[in-house]
Amino acid sequence: MMSPFEVLADYERRSLAHVAGLPEQLDAPGLWRGVGYRIGSRRLASGFDEVVEVLQLPQVTPVPGAQPWMLGVANIRGNLLPVVDLRQFLEGERTVLHEGQRVLVVRQPGGDVAVTIDELYGQRSFTEEQRIEPDGLAEGRYAHFVSRAYRLGDHPWGVFSLSLLARTPEFRQAAA
């Protein structure tokens, strides 16, 4: 039987075995870190400074006369936030909402906005050596928001500018 101290020491040892990088590597020069997610078939990441929080899809109240990609408004801790189907805004194809659906809360001038994502991957880190041309990740409406990309394993990841999205006039004028 292990003592409580030995149990904690063992737990710490096993936890540290799963750390992706040493602390000095996490803030290395040329390292970019953000929140990884999927919209349609694209894997994207946005900077931690652009994502206020990640939530499960709240209950949404539709807004009559709004753009089709504007799902409505939601009460999040006493604040009314617009909820936008990001895939429909970018691709014209509606997101299939599901149990466990996540939204990214994005800071924008005049108040936050929640945008739907298809899948959340969590924190992602990229180095300059992994940098690639955005090519297919920056096609169509994505071209305006994806200026760089990285390859991690078999997947290209586009860096998506949520702050640029929040400043786009069409996006800001969701209520037609």
Side-chain angles (χ1 to χ4, degrees):
M1 178 103 163
M2 290 198 287
S3 73
F5 177 78
E6 290 169 325
V7 170
L8 287 173
D10 180 58
Y11 178 74
E12 179 186 36
R13 182 188 51 75
R14 287 185 291 134
S15 294
L16 291 174
H18 294 288
V19 172
L22 298 173
E24 60 270 14
Q25 293 172 316
L26 293 177
D27 290 319
L31 187 71
W32 187 90
R33 295 169 59 204
V35 177
Y37 54 94
R38 181 177 59 78
I39 296 175
S41 61
R42 286 176 171 83
R43 288 176 187 244
L44 302 169
S46 296
F48 288 130
D49 58 332
E50 297 183 312
V51 179
V52 177
E53 63 183 315
V54 179
L55 302 170
Q56 283 202 305
L57 180 67
Q59 186 172 346
V60 176
T61 303
V63 176
Q67 296 287 350
W69 41 266
M70 170 74 171
L71 297 177
V73 293
N75 181 342
I76 298 177
R77 285 186 288 290
N79 295 312
L80 279 183
L81 263 62
V83 180
V84 170
D85 184 337
L86 190 52
R87 184 175 183 188
Q88 190 167 14
F89 177 77
L90 294 165
E91 299 178 11
E93 193 172 318
R94 189 161 209 116
T95 297
V96 178
L97 301 178
H98 57 83
E99 190 76 28
Q101 181 81 41
R102 298 280 192 259
V103 295
L104 303 179
V105 177
V106 180
R107 182 93 53 225
Q108 72 170 0
D112 297 346
V113 60
V115 296
T116 60
I117 57 174
D118 289 320
E119 188 174 1
L120 178 69
Y121 294 117
Q123 178 178 318
R124 290 293 177 264
S125 301
F126 305 106
T127 62
E128 276 306 306
E129 292 80 48
Q130 295 169 311
R131 194 159 178 173
I132 58 172
E133 288 301 312
D135 299 334
L137 291 167
E139 290 174 342
R141 298 189 82 171
Y142 287 88
H144 191 57
F145 307 107
V146 176
S147 60
R148 68 181 191 268
Y150 298 92
R151 177 165 296 285
L152 190 60
D154 294 338
H155 302 285
W157 291 78
V159 174
F160 189 91
S161 175
L162 290 168
S163 58
L164 190 56
L165 174 75
R167 293 192 310 268
T168 301
E170 182 188 356
F171 184 80
R172 295 186 51 78
Q173 294 158 1

